[in-house]
Amino acid sequence: MKKVKCYMCDREATTREHVPPLCLFPAVKDTKGVNFRKNLITVPSCDIHNSKKSDDDEFLMLSLSGLIKNNIVGNFQQLTKANRALKRKNKNFIEKQVLRNHKFYKIKSTDGKFRTISVGNPNTERLSNCLKHIAYGLYFEEFKESFKGELEMFLGFIEYSNKNMQTFKKYIKKGFDIEKELNREIKGNNPAVFYYQFHEPDNFGLIGMRMVFYGAAEAYFSFKGKNAEKPFDLATALMLEGIKTTMELDGEKFIFNDEES
Ligand SMILES: [Zn+2]
């Protein structure tokens, strides 16, 4: 029998791994019977790429469920599973692991009740690493082979202090919104928790993918396989040189290095 390989590497798979992690999806015991765990995706995994990740899974759940723009399912997951997890941790856990410059705030929600939210800067390095693992898993699910090449990622839910980065974020989002209108298939059987969308390869052979958690937190990926050409984009080069550059996408202008405004 042919041996099955891991979704991340060439080792033999010994188990299966949920992508995204199971803990992001509310459990039936919390939802009083509503099922947010329909047809979850699993991919074959080796010991190394599965067992050592349980801490990361919880970190990811705490980071994503706490985001303020989340839909009601995300809020719900924060109030139940995330709060239980935090109670088990010592006081420094959030500050050290999940959010930098962390503070609790009370806000009034639409039903008139107050709820406590966590505000701070996400630990983006660790978050990026977790999300990249999910991207590899979804690539495997989509193309039935592990991805070999370079993976670029951009987080739509991070507020960047650099103005160019903020503009670039809007530019990328617009690009993905245009793709979305082309009716690429949206995948994921529990869209209130998570869905994703692969795009056709572009002129350079790059494959784009968007993930959306709790209806709000978007992460964008670009898979550059071994056969893809290196894209050379004059506007991007000028932008990085600090020269005022305007990029236009579907009639909307994005201005980089704009000193006047
Ligand atoms: Zn592996």
Side-chain angles (χ1 to χ4, degrees):
M1 215 173 85
K2 192 170 170 262
K3 285 182 177 134
V4 179
K5 280 186 186 174
C6 170
Y7 77 106
M8 283 285 295
C9 70
D10 287 331
R11 288 185 199 88
E12 191 184 337
T14 52
T15 179
R16 292 190 75 85
E17 164 102 343
H18 279 95
V19 285
L22 182 64
C23 65
L24 294 183
F25 298 83
V28 172
K29 68 164 178 150
D30 284 327
T31 62
K32 308 275 188 283
V34 184
N35 185 6
F36 287 107
R37 294 185 167 184
K38 290 190 285 285
N39 304 317
L40 299 181
I41 299 164
T42 62
V43 292
S45 173
C46 72
D47 287 340
I48 290 169
H49 286 115
N50 186 33
S51 55
K52 76 179 174 85
K53 281 185 60 238
S54 57
D55 266 8
D56 277 346
D57 290 354
E58 187 167 72
F59 160 81
L60 184 67
M61 187 270 291
L62 291 169
S63 299
L64 294 176
S65 71
L67 295 169
I68 193 162
K69 286 178 183 164
N70 282 348
N71 64 17
I72 195 162
V73 182
N75 295 341
F76 180 81
Q77 188 69 342
Q78 191 205 16
L79 290 172
T80 55
K81 190 163 180 103
N83 277 353
R84 284 201 299 273
L86 289 175
K87 274 183 194 145
R88 291 197 301 271
K89 310 283 178 189
N90 67 48
K91 286 196 181 76
N92 293 326
F93 176 80
I94 307 179
E95 179 71 39
K96 284 221 175 75
Q97 299 294 331
V98 184
L99 296 167
R100 308 275 159 76
N101 305 315
H102 174 259
K103 286 188 184 71
F104 281 116
Y105 285 100
K106 277 198 187 308
I107 59 160
K108 202 172 183 179
S109 52
T110 45
D111 59 5
K113 288 180 185 155
F114 284 90
R115 69 183 182 97
T116 306
I117 57 159
S118 299
V119 176
N121 307 317
N123 181 343
T124 41
E125 198 179 315
R126 192 171 178 194
L127 192 54
S128 302
N129 192 40
C130 294
L131 292 169
K132 278 186 178 171
H133 274 81
I134 300 173
Y136 273 93
L138 294 175
Y139 186 95
F140 188 96
E141 169 76 4
E142 182 82 7
F143 300 104
K144 307 302 173 207
E145 60 178 16
S146 62
F147 173 66
K148 303 273 196 288
E150 292 169 48
L151 179 61
E152 302 273 353
M153 184 181 70
F154 207 79
L155 302 179
F157 53 92
I158 302 287
E159 295 303 317
Y160 293 92
S161 52
N162 181 314
K163 210 171 135 206
N164 272 341
M165 289 292 278
Q166 282 292 96
T167 308
F168 195 56
K169 186 174 90 175
K170 288 183 190 139
Y171 176 76
I172 288 185
K173 186 168 167 46
K174 177 82 179 179
F176 273 86
D177 283 343
I178 292 168
E179 284 280 339
K180 190 163 71 175
E181 285 163 13
L182 300 174
N183 292 322
R184 307 279 184 232
E185 189 184 354
I186 289 174
K187 294 183 177 174
N189 286 298
N190 308 276
V193 180
F194 172 75
Y195 64 86
Y196 66 101
Q197 200 175 23
F198 271 95
H199 299 160
E200 299 289 322
D202 70 6
N203 295 339
F204 303 104
L206 301 178
I207 298 171
M209 193 256 286
R210 174 213 296 255
M211 293 180 196
V212 183
F213 297 91
Y214 302 124
E218 302 199 0
Y220 312 108
F221 296 84
S222 171
F223 293 88
K224 181 173 171 266
K226 281 177 298 195
N227 299 325
E229 296 167 44
K230 185 95 187 154
F232 180 74
D233 183 330
L234 183 62
T236 312
L238 290 170
M239 188 185 99
L240 295 173
E241 292 291 323
I243 297 163
K244 183 174 170 179
T245 308
T246 303
M247 292 207 247
E248 200 170 322
L249 206 55
D250 201 31
E252 190 173 339
K253 285 193 169 73
F254 298 86
I255 304 166
F256 296 92
N257 305 312
D258 184 8
E259 296 303 325
E260 291 115 66
S261 63

